[in-house]
Amino acid sequence: MVTSPDALRNHIKLITGLGANPVHLDEWLEKSSRGAELPPLSVAFTFDDGWQDNFEHAFPVLRANDIPFTIFLVSKLIDTDRTFWPEQVLQLLTADNVPWEDDCFQWLTSAMDAVINPPARLPLELADADSVIGELKALDDETIYRNLALVYQAHPHLAPPHHSRAILNTAELADMAASGLARYGAHTQHHYRLNRLADESQLEREILACMDDIRSLGTAHTDIFCYPNGDITHKGKDLVKSRYKAACTTKTGWNREGCDPYDLHRFNLHDGNSYSPQRLLATIGRGLL
Ligand SMILES: [Zn+2]
């Protein structure tokens, strides 16, 4: 699910052409909460997870068009070459040099058996790999990372290469912040799904300490949270409310003046649903229904 620079350029052109005012999300929220006058139509660009390609591909387009944006960071991944488990699992499922009969893959082969019928030919096609990743979401994130670590320990050649950094580093964050266009919100410390954490202190670290990490970077932070995968519990939401001014969900739609700031809706745009102006209008228009 990616947005090409051309598609992003088209989004900006079309949305501003419709009269929408590009705004910093936190400034719009601040005005909305005190009932100040707002433009009839505003647009806030947000990016989740802190992918390095936000700097490489999106930032030049945003800067050229003077578009403010918010990136929700996974604080413990910054300055590392680690990435998220779905990408790592996808890599394994689509590789052709995996000794699947080895015990360390049992958690993956049983997920394959559960969703692919008749038994799959390996390596998997993308659609089948996607179903397996969906099935693995029944496990908690730490278990999956532990299983992956055992795989790499037994088969070092399968480990993700160290030269392929996927996540933003401090220098890139500072560079984008210096433009005055970027602000950084919180997307937990490890991108664990917050409805699957058994331990309350872990929930607190993921939600509260994440912003401490981001503030310690000394760059343009904003006190807005973004729920990984859109998942949250009552206790988690209370913690978010105690520390942040607002939170983004994965729900689709518009936000109106005076809306619940902890239940912000968005449009998840990618080339598949918004490359052409017609598709973009259809995707956004559906949010009005
Ligand atoms: Zn995310």
Side-chain angles (χ1 to χ4, degrees), residues 142-180:
E142 275 197 315
T143 303
I144 297 172
Y145 283 115
R146 211 176 309 120
N147 288 340
L148 282 167
L150 292 173
V151 165
Y152 302 145
Q153 202 180 330
H155 305 281
H157 72 283
L158 294 173
H162 284 292
H163 56 79
S164 63
R165 179 170 63 86
I167 300 297
L168 290 162
N169 67 22
T170 310
E172 291 160 343
L173 292 170
D175 205 348
M176 290 191 285
S179 71

Side-chain angles (χ1 to χ4, degrees), residues 48-49 74 187 191 227-229:
D48 290 7
D49 306 333
V74 180
H187 197 37
H191 208 272
Y227 311 113
N229 218 36

Side-chain angles (χ1 to χ4, degrees), residues 8 12 15-16 20-28 31 39 42-47 58-72 176-184 220 222 224:
L8 179 59
I12 293 167
I15 292 167
T16 55
N21 242 34
V23 292
H24 277 294
L25 179 58
D26 52 5
E27 288 176 12
W28 187 91
K31 284 185 184 165
S42 301
V43 57
F45 285 78
T46 65
F47 299 83
F59 180 50
V61 177
L62 296 160
R63 184 171 45 190
N65 291 277
D66 202 25
I67 303 292
F69 59 98
T70 304
I71 301 182
F72 294 105
M176 290 191 285
S179 71
L181 296 171
R183 291 185 186 168
Y184 305 118
T222 183
I224 305 177

